[in-house]
Amino acid sequence: MNFKNLSNEEIISFHLNLIEPYDDDTIVFSSLVAALRDARQATGRNIETGENPDKNNNTLSSNWLGSICYLVILDQLGKCYKAKKDPNLTDLSPIQRCLKLNTKLSDQEIDAIYALRNAFAHDYSLSNKNSKKPSLTHHFTLRGAYTNPFIKIPSVKWDGQNENKSIDNTTIIGLPWIGDFVEDIYKIVSSLHTENKLEIIIPGGAEEIKNRYLLFSYKH
């Protein structure tokens, strides 16, 4: 297969789905698919489908590393794609844009998820401070079950001062829901591509997707 002459549609297909042999010594795969598999494995989900086999007793579904991986997937999808009918929302980060366009979450809930991603990814903590955008300042309590609601925004806003943390200003998130949301968004994006309704929005276009997210691995 000549990967130098792929069409935009083929590149998207490979990005969303690809893990296949390239020649006798190498395989080519998509980092998005690798992230999905890692997230699913870490959270005890079906590796091929992403389904949570036992929502009541799957203790892995709240795994922090798996949750980080799912949030990274949101970043990559939001950076690369949107539905052709949707606005660009260039004032939002990729993860915020992805959630805004593909879920019914409120802006407050979206900012809370973005803040959790920052807290996890930057220093594996449960607090995030942002002096320029107070809506991204949160400290979290994480639940290992399907809490209702998925996210509970506190009635009292945390001011970012550690000595002022309390139960009244903590943001509560049920971690298993994150995997469900991301799996649903992945299916939405894949369906949009199948229906020819998906638009590439990453600045370098399809070539950047190919060069950044389609990877080669040696078998030996």
Side-chain angles (χ1 to χ4, degrees), residues 10-135:
E10 288 173 323
I11 289 172
I12 297 173
S13 293
F14 288 148
H15 182 216
L16 295 177
N17 303 294
L18 177 65
I19 295 182
E20 67 174 38
Y22 181 64
D23 57 30
D24 291 340
D25 297 316
T26 59
I27 59 173
V28 61
F29 64 98
S30 159
S31 63
L32 177 68
V33 174
L36 274 170
R37 287 178 175 269
D38 286 347
R40 290 167 177 174
Q41 184 173 27
T43 55
R45 293 171 179 267
N46 184 292
I47 296 295
E48 300 301 326
T49 67
E51 294 296 320
N52 194 345
D54 188 346
K55 290 191 173 185
N56 294 322
N57 296 303
N58 179 10
T59 57
L60 287 176
S61 62
S62 58
N63 180 279
W64 284 24
L65 283 176
S67 298
I68 290 174
C69 202
Y70 271 124
L71 293 171
V72 169
I73 291 167
L74 281 185
D75 259 324
Q76 191 172 134
L77 289 175
K79 186 179 296 179
C80 292
Y81 305 114
K82 72 173 187 67
K84 291 179 179 178
K85 65 177 177 60
D86 286 339
N88 289 329
L89 301 182
T90 54
D91 57 320
L92 299 181
S93 70
I95 191 171
Q96 290 171 307
R97 178 168 56 238
C98 191
L99 290 168
K100 182 77 170 179
L101 295 178
N102 296 291
T103 73
K104 295 182 179 179
L105 295 173
S106 69
D107 289 345
Q108 278 188 314
E109 292 168 329
I110 289 171
D111 283 352
I113 294 174
Y114 185 33
L116 178 63
R117 173 266 194 191
N118 292 344
F120 269 170
H122 293 166
D123 59 1
Y124 214 54
S125 72
L126 290 181
S127 62
N128 184 71
K129 301 177 185 179
N130 190 310
S131 58
K132 294 182 179 179
K133 191 171 184 182
S135 64

